[in-house]
Amino acid sequence: KPDALACIATPPSPPSRTRASTSSDTASAALAEAGLVIEAIFENLDVKRALFSQLDALCGPETIFASNT
């Protein structure tokens, strides 16, 4: 199961390199400074709620959350 937060905070790269080169500290630091976060995960409401809950804890109060659906 991919780490949704790591996928959001890192630029596109081959899948084998993304997991190897991404740490949760890096993702958390990037999200703390983000002004806009666009969610693009599969359609499962429980998963989306969990993701937005994690994002809310990591992002600043002015961060805008958006969804591609």
Side-chain angles (χ1 to χ4, degrees):
K1 180 174 166 180
D3 181 346
L5 295 179
C7 293
I8 289 172
T10 58
S13 63
S16 61
R17 293 193 56 202
T18 300
R19 302 272 304 159
S21 64
T22 303
S23 73
S24 59
D25 291 340
T26 303
S28 296
L31 288 167
E33 297 179 13
L36 172 66
V37 175
I38 302 172
E39 163 276 314
I41 59 175
F42 58 92
E43 295 303 310
N44 180 309
L45 189 55
D46 291 334
V47 173
K48 287 182 184 265
R49 284 183 177 148
L51 174 63
F52 278 112
S53 178
Q54 291 176 346
L55 290 171
D56 189 46
L58 293 170
C59 297
E62 301 297 319
T63 303
I64 297 168
F65 298 122
S67 177
N68 72 337
T69 57

